[in-house]
Amino acid sequence: MHSSYYNIIENAYRLTKALEDKGKLATYIPELANVDPSNFGIHTTNLDGTNFGVGDNLKKFSIQSIAKVLSLTLAYKILGEEIWERVDVEPSGTKFDSLLLLESYEGIPRNPFINSGAIVICDILMTHLNNAHKDFLDFVRDVSDLPDLTYSDKIADSEKAKGYRNTALCNFIKSFDNINNEPEDVLDFYFDMCSLEMNCQQLSKTFTFLANGGRKLDGKKIISKGKAKRINAIMLTCGFYDESGEFAFRVGLPGKSGVGGGIVALYPQQYTIAVWSPKLNPNGNSFKGMTLLEEVTTHSELSIF
Ligand code: GLU
């Protein structure tokens, strides 16, 4: 199965690479505007550990919102089901940085993957960890088997300097008493969390625990099977901003995108796959990344549907 699957990936990559890129770089975080838009990579990891990649699969990029899956994992592990009193699990139907629904839902974000929800998750981690910056990084180092992973100060500082909307979100949520720490501290941690960098190979390996019932490939338990199921469900319904329905329709896998142009997706019990192409479609998802994944799941017939 592997070699024919890898052939499909290679062909889909070449086909998509040749397409005109109709996307645009995210420029609201100045550092992201400096990335070479022609970067394009894909990497898949099977649960037996074999893996395969093409293109710029070994070049690091800013994973941005993809890290929100890892912060949710740690917060869910710590707080259990109580976490859903602070954040809901519904698609928002609005932009990732929207303030709109917070007014209607009295400061309870619609889900943990839009900015408001991820900011609440950061607040939870700050309350329950001794040193959220360090402890979260240690957690990601463990999950990813990347002991040298660090935050990118350059990216975090660049986002902080222009972080007006996220600041507004955090203050607004605090006005409803759903942020317990100082907004400035919560945001510093949020910007650090979003600044993590990985390449497609590392990203696909990191997410294998969610395809593997909560366990890393070496067997180490990260979270329970039940919690992994729920995180995957939220990725399917809320992982792609206001385009989660479209992603399920075209690709048919749970996953998460980030404004750095990365996408990670997974097929439970089978494989994970990460792609990177920096230019984004109008909904903030990688234009070529989404097209490439659609090609791969259509030709391999390996999707959850
Ligand atoms: N750090 C980004 C922001 O807050 C993350 C957005 C994303 O990747 O969706 O705007």
Side-chain angles (χ1 to χ4, degrees):
M1 168 305 222
H2 287 168
S3 70
S4 61
Y5 177 51
Y6 296 163
N7 279 339
I8 288 170
I9 289 182
E10 217 157 1
N11 289 336
Y13 177 85
R14 306 222 178 287
L15 199 114
T16 315
K17 193 176 166 71
L19 294 179
E20 180 198 351
D21 195 337
K22 297 201 179 122
K24 286 202 175 81
L25 282 178
T27 49
Y28 76 101
I29 300 176
E31 263 313 304
L32 295 185
N34 296 332
V35 173
D36 176 355
S38 69
N39 280 300
F40 191 31
I42 181 166
H43 203 100
T44 185
T45 302
N46 285 278
L47 295 195
D48 64 8
T50 55
N51 59 94
F52 173 77
V54 190
D56 297 310
N57 56 321
L58 300 180
K59 263 198 202 173
K60 278 199 306 186
F61 60 94
S62 176
I63 70 169
Q64 290 292 324
S65 267
I66 297 172
K68 292 174 181 171
V69 181
L70 303 172
S71 54
L72 172 66
T73 302
L74 183 57
Y76 194 13
K77 189 180 161 92
I78 294 171
L79 212 58
E81 304 310 317
E82 242 181 77
I83 197 171
W84 311 123
E85 290 167 19
R86 304 275 310 269
V87 58
D88 215 326
V89 294
E90 295 296 341
S92 72
T94 54
K95 280 196 69 189
F96 69 100
D97 57 358
S98 175
L99 286 121
L100 272 178
L101 295 174
L102 285 172
E103 179 81 31
S104 324
Y105 291 96
E106 300 185 351
I108 305 292
R110 296 306 279 153
N111 68 67
F113 294 155
I114 48 175
N115 288 10
S116 53
I119 288 170
V120 167
I121 297 294
C122 283
D123 183 62
I124 291 172
L125 290 176
M126 293 211 44
T127 299
H128 290 271
L129 297 171
N130 286 336
N131 179 340
H133 296 256
K134 180 182 175 300
D135 298 348
F136 175 66
L137 186 60
D138 285 345
F139 174 72
V140 182
R141 284 175 171 170
D142 176 24
V143 174
S144 60
D145 286 327
L146 295 171
D148 298 327
L149 189 75
T150 52
Y151 299 119
S152 161
D153 291 342
K154 213 164 141 187
I155 294 171
D157 291 348
S158 169
E159 182 169 7
K160 188 177 173 179
K162 300 272 176 188
Y164 308 116
R165 278 194 87 89
N166 287 322
T167 306
L169 285 169
C170 193
N171 282 304
F172 196 39
I173 304 169
K174 183 141 179 106
S175 77
F176 291 102
D177 291 330
N178 196 19
I179 291 285
N180 297 321
N181 297 280
E182 281 309 313
E184 202 183 325
D185 300 336
V186 177
L187 287 164
D188 270 347
F189 176 43
Y190 173 80
F191 295 138
D192 261 359
M193 190 255 300
C194 291
S195 79
L196 288 173
E197 295 173 300
M198 287 189 197
N199 64 36
C200 290
Q201 181 185 41
Q202 295 166 338
L203 197 56
S204 72
K205 184 177 174 204
T206 302
F207 273 70
T208 49
F209 78 97
L210 285 171
N212 195 34
R215 286 180 189 272
K216 286 178 24 172
L217 297 188
D218 62 12
K220 181 172 177 185
K221 184 174 165 185
I222 301 297
I223 39 159
S224 70
K225 233 183 192 165
K227 288 190 172 75
K229 178 189 88 173
R230 292 197 163 143
I231 294 170
N232 289 339
I234 307 172
M235 283 202 283
L236 185 75
T237 51
C238 311
F240 296 87
Y241 316 116
D242 198 13
E243 201 171 37
S244 301
E246 180 84 7
F247 190 86
F249 181 75
R250 285 173 52 190
V251 179
L253 295 173
K256 182 74 196 86
S257 59
V259 290
I263 299 178
V264 65
L266 60 95
Y267 187 173
Q269 307 310 324
Q270 302 252 358
Y271 69 90
T272 60
I273 190 159
V275 293
W276 175 45
S277 169
K279 285 187 170 182
L280 311 177
N281 70 19
N283 286 307
N285 293 311
S286 170
F287 175 81
K288 284 203 175 186
M290 202 156 149
T291 311
L292 175 54
L293 287 176
E294 181 178 12
E295 285 293 323
V296 170
T297 56
T298 303
H299 292 287
S300 64
E301 297 180 10
L302 289 172
S303 95
I304 63 168
F305 298 111

